[in-house]
Amino acid sequence: MDNRTLIAKRVAQEFKDGDIVNLGIGIPTLAANYIPANIQVTLHSENGFVGLGPGNDWPDPDITNAGGQPASILAGGATFDSALSFAIIRGGHLQATVLGALEVDQEGNLANWMVPNKLVPGMGGAMDLVVGARRVIVAMEHVGKGGNPKILKKCTLPLTACQEVDLVITDYCVFEVTKQGLVLTELAPGVDLETVKSATAADFVVAADVKEMAV
């Protein structure tokens, strides 16, 4: 299993029956493929959909998710304008949002929208999502290109939001973000504690019942 699939599978375990969830671009979007069959999750997209479905074999090129990828509308889904879409977000109607990150720190701060002097896609609806959703899950590879840590004591890039992250899921481990800091609760298969320590620049504690990530 590749790292992105592992992360997406673990993310999908966080959803509960009846949840309305927004999935960000990249690894978060992949989580839609692994939602357990025994629960129903409604996917929201900030460009104006609830009930978003897969893009495979869909003939209408005008239906895309917020990342511009082909998508479909499932039975019971709806389309609407951006004003209503962001009213859903800001009104606290999303149980969770799952986002990628450039950096996350031990205080739950998130940086995922810009690198100074570099052209990147931009924030999209991220600033609204991380404040409006009831739960914020970061899904990302544990280290960046060249092996540089992405989980830090303090973010160095411009922030998307302060102290809004609840859970960080990577290809190395799972961290819960608490008021006391990061708590390591799971290790990915084949990853040991020393590997996580060497690849993490943040302080963290290890839960007494830390377990292997089940995917």
Side-chain angles (χ1 to χ4, degrees):
M1 184 187 311
D2 65 83
N3 291 345
R4 292 165 60 88
T5 299
L6 181 145
I7 298 167
K9 283 189 170 185
R10 179 59 188 82
V11 166
Q13 295 175 17
E14 293 297 314
F15 304 151
K16 298 178 176 59
D17 191 37
D19 278 357
I20 303 175
V21 175
N22 183 289
L23 300 178
I25 300 168
I27 294 173
T29 301
L30 296 177
N33 299 326
Y34 305 106
I35 296 172
N38 62 338
I39 67 171
Q40 182 174 356
V41 173
T42 300
L43 299 181
H44 166 273
S45 184
E46 61 265 34
N47 58 325
F49 300 100
V50 288
L52 209 64
N56 295 340
D57 302 324
W58 186 252
D60 189 341
D62 293 328
I63 298 178
T64 67
N65 61 25
Q69 299 165 321
S72 58
I73 300 294
L74 302 177
T79 66
F80 32 76
D81 61 18
S82 293
L84 180 56
S85 184
F86 277 78
I88 290 171
I89 298 169
R90 295 170 185 173
H93 302 290
L94 300 180
Q95 273 70 42
T97 184
V98 185
L99 299 166
L102 299 168
E103 294 177 347
V104 178
D105 70 30
Q106 63 195 45
E107 298 176 2
N109 298 320
L110 168 67
N112 78 341
W113 72 281
M114 75 168 294
V115 178
N117 302 316
K118 289 188 177 181
L119 181 63
V120 293
M123 71 182 78
M127 289 183 176
D128 291 86
L129 286 163
V130 293
V131 173
R134 300 175 194 175
R135 194 156 185 252
V136 176
I137 300 169
V138 167
M140 65 177 187
E141 292 179 301
H142 200 93
V143 298
K145 294 179 179 177
N148 58 300
K150 296 172 68 176
I151 303 175
L152 310 173
K153 292 182 185 294
K154 198 78 173 178
C155 289
T156 63
L157 296 173
L159 294 183
T160 306
C162 296
Q163 300 180 337
E164 293 290 349
V165 177
D166 297 295
L167 192 71
V168 181
I169 298 174
T170 79
D171 47 334
Y172 285 20
C173 66
V174 177
F175 283 121
E176 290 183 5
V177 184
T178 73
K179 292 182 178 178
Q180 290 73 41
L182 299 179
V183 180
L184 177 70
T185 58
E186 299 177 31
L187 290 166
V191 176
D192 60 25
L193 181 57
E194 292 306 311
T195 300
V196 174
K197 286 181 177 178
S198 66
T200 306
D203 296 326
F204 65 89
V205 299
V206 181
D209 58 346
V210 65
K211 58 187 179 182
E212 182 173 292
M213 189 187 299
V215 289

